[in-house]
Amino acid sequence: MSPARTVVITGGLGNLGSKLCRHLLGPQTSGGKYRVVLLEHPNFIDPPKPLPHDDAVVLPCDLGNIGGEDNAKLEEALKGADAVVHFSAVNPYPNATWAESGRSMDHAFNIFQLAVKCKVRRVVLASSNHVMGGYKDDAAFGPGSVRPDSAPRVGTVPLNPAQIASSGDGKAYAAAKLAAERLAMTLGSMYGETTSFVVLRIGWCQPGENHPSTLSAAGSPPEFLKEGEEAVVPEQSEDDKKDELWYKRMWLSNGDFLAYFDAALGLDVPTEEAQGEGGPHRNVRKGFVLVNAMSRNSGAKWNLEETEKWLGVKSNHDSA
């Protein structure tokens, strides 16, 4: 039997990190194939949280302070690691402030550079649909028109101003994700022979059962909405119904989430720059592949052709 491959997951005790951990260590992934190390901020661990899986290892650390006392233990965790999956964000929802966005950038920049330094084979970035949220209300773009090489339009602005007060517009949150994407692209072009990057612009994968019926126009679970009287979630208007449809069409089922990340860990990423045409937003380069990662939702603007081509996964799940 081959030795277990170490996968380091940032934000490992969060919603997505926990789901992926259980999957990688579960019998469906041929138990023993992976060793999983979960990186988590000390403040998120205290009080202690139950582990997603008994075989997981939790390492408390602050990714925003990688040059400090956490540096040595992070390098030790990454030495010999096969892959890093990066979920960590200071605020993982559309109401993130610009201050939180800047600190989330620190998380990505620091862990990416350390992964390159430690010659980790693969880095998988959980980017976000909100990088392309500006296509939401553009009637010129119909079903299947938003591709991974389309120009970014950061932020998902609700049509109802009251919703902006409660759930934010996603611009600061998405800017951090876009910055991480571009750094991944640059590092892939420089170090792709040893460390390659796969970026998944994921849709909305809720905690727990993640049924599409619980998606809403707010774009965030209630506990992450902004506080204050002006931020009370309003009754649903016609604009809210339009926004809710957008969010339902960006749904990412639990099954598709796991299949996409499973494939991203083993994907053959190009180690040479492709010749020929390609604009500044092309999604496949030396050491770098970027794809959309939503379920196959009826009427969605997200194009999944590149997802199927590179990941070899065809979604059969639909929020409709």
Side-chain angles (χ1 to χ4, degrees):
M1 175 183 276
S2 301
R5 291 184 286 168
T6 297
V7 177
V8 178
I9 302 176
T10 73
L13 293 181
N15 168 36
L16 300 180
S18 294
K19 286 182 178 181
L20 183 60
C21 172
R22 285 190 291 269
H23 173 70
L24 295 179
L25 294 177
Q28 69 276 19
T29 321
S30 304
K33 181 178 179 181
Y34 293 106
R35 172 179 177 266
V36 175
V37 178
L38 306 176
L39 303 185
E40 193 55 79
H41 195 285
N43 292 347
F44 199 69
I45 296 173
D46 188 22
K49 294 194 172 191
L51 287 177
H53 194 284
D54 288 342
D55 293 335
V57 176
V58 177
L59 179 62
C61 66
D62 180 1
L63 293 181
N65 186 35
I66 228 168
E69 60 184 23
D70 290 331
N71 196 68
K73 59 183 178 182
L74 279 169
E75 285 201 42
E76 188 63 30
L78 292 181
K79 284 177 182 175
D82 180 67
V84 169
V85 180
H86 182 56
F87 292 119
S88 179
V90 174
N91 179 349
Y93 287 99
N95 64 6
T97 65
W98 283 104
E100 291 169 331
S101 173
R103 288 159 57 206
S104 291
M105 292 181 200
D106 291 343
H107 285 205
F109 298 175
N110 289 336
I111 197 68
F112 287 5
Q113 292 181 78
L114 263 185
V116 168
K117 179 180 179 180
C118 295
K119 297 185 177 179
V120 175
R121 177 189 64 89
R122 173 62 42 78
V123 177
V124 181
L125 166 64
S127 186
S128 173
N129 58 84
H130 289 288
V131 171
M132 312 299 280
Y135 289 93
K136 175 171 73 77
D137 302 309
D138 191 334
F141 290 84
S145 62
V146 179
R147 302 175 55 84
D149 58 356
S150 299
R153 294 186 183 181
V154 296
T156 307
V157 182
L159 293 170
N160 184 349
Q163 282 287 6
I164 299 177
S166 64
S167 59
D169 60 17
K171 291 181 179 179
Y173 170 74
K177 293 294 188 180
L178 179 58
E181 289 183 5
R182 303 305 277 194
L183 179 60
M185 178 188 71
T186 300
L187 292 175
S189 71
M190 297 171 66
Y191 305 102
E193 296 90 348
T194 53
T195 301
S196 56
F197 292 77
V198 177
V199 177
L200 305 181
R201 282 183 181 152
I202 62 174
W204 192 356
C205 186
Q206 306 166 101
E209 293 184 4
N210 182 31
H211 194 276
S213 63
T214 55
L215 299 169
S216 72
S220 299
E223 62 268 27
F224 279 90
L225 299 182
K226 291 181 178 177
E227 299 177 353
E229 272 184 38
E230 76 284 357
V232 173
V233 178
E235 292 187 14
Q236 195 173 60
S237 65
E238 287 304 311
D239 284 343
D240 292 332
K241 292 176 182 177
K242 293 178 183 177
D243 285 341
E244 182 177 289
L245 184 59
W246 171 261
Y247 282 114
K248 286 186 182 298
R249 287 173 173 172
M250 70 164 65
W251 179 61
L252 173 60
S253 72
N254 286 343
D256 287 339
F257 163 73
L258 295 173
Y260 288 154
F261 277 83
D262 228 357
L265 288 171
L267 172 67
D268 288 330
V269 175
T271 55
E272 295 182 358
E273 195 64 70
Q275 301 298 313
E277 295 183 4
H281 308 296
R282 67 186 187 277
N283 64 301
V284 178
R285 303 168 183 248
K286 176 187 172 183
F288 177 82
V289 172
L290 181 154
V291 296
N292 291 330
M294 298 80 183
S295 292
R296 187 168 293 281
N297 304 310
S298 298
K301 293 186 178 184
W302 310 105
N303 187 294
L304 299 178
E305 292 173 0
E306 290 285 286
T307 310
E308 294 174 15
K309 174 182 175 181
W310 285 97
L311 300 185
V313 177
K314 184 171 183 177
S315 168
N316 291 312
H317 296 166
D318 191 339
S319 63

